[in-house]
Amino acid sequence: MSHPQTTVPEWQMTPRARKAFTVLIVSAVAVLLAGSAWMTYDFQFRQDSGLEACGSLAGGSSVELNESEYRALHGMFARSSRPLLREQGVRAIEAGVLTARGPSLFAVLHPSNAEAAALRSACVAEGALAD
């Protein structure tokens, strides 16, 4: 004796399909929440390397650096995710090298007034320095 099969109307999902659909929706919402949390952290809380380096050259005064400090400062601007800081910072560092002398002193950086002003305005525009 067979039991008569009940038919499900086309517009109604079976319990198994409903469960799969619910899992899909919950998973999509979880992925969206995780992505938005990461973006918030990335943009708001993680400090950009170019922003960290802004104060070192924007004042226009001379900075004496050994080779590792020079490479670190150059790298901080070069890795910046903000194009204006990356461009102005690398330009100020490369153009501001006055001398390379002695075993412990690699370079004395002194950007010109125009380069320091351009870097300072880029730092102010990005919110790293107060106007």
Side-chain angles (χ1 to χ4, degrees):
M1 309 224 175
S2 67
H3 295 265
Q5 289 185 337
T6 59
T7 59
V8 177
E10 281 185 39
W11 56 269
Q12 190 175 12
M13 291 194 288
T14 64
R16 184 175 184 185
R18 188 177 308 123
K19 183 177 180 181
F21 184 71
T22 303
V23 168
L24 177 70
I25 295 298
V26 168
S27 299
V29 168
V31 167
L32 288 174
L33 287 175
S36 64
W38 172 254
M39 286 178 59
T40 300
Y41 166 76
D42 193 41
F43 290 125
Q44 299 295 325
F45 300 110
R46 190 177 73 171
Q47 188 73 0
D48 183 78
S49 61
L51 293 175
E52 291 177 17
C54 264
S56 57
L57 290 179
S61 60
S62 294
V63 179
E64 295 182 353
L65 304 170
N66 63 29
E67 186 173 5
S68 64
E69 293 169 335
Y70 174 83
R71 292 189 191 287
L73 187 60
H74 188 279
M76 288 174 82
F77 280 117
R79 286 188 316 271
S80 178
S81 62
R82 299 169 188 232
L84 188 60
L85 286 180
R86 187 172 50 244
E87 177 186 337
Q88 296 298 332
V90 169
R91 181 180 299 149
I93 288 176
E94 290 175 352
V97 175
L98 289 178
T99 183
R101 59 180 176 183
S104 64
L105 184 63
F106 180 71
V108 176
L109 298 181
H110 185 74
S112 70
N113 290 339
E115 290 160 352
L119 178 58
R120 180 165 180 72
S121 67
C123 291
V124 168
E126 294 294 340
L129 297 175
D131 194 16

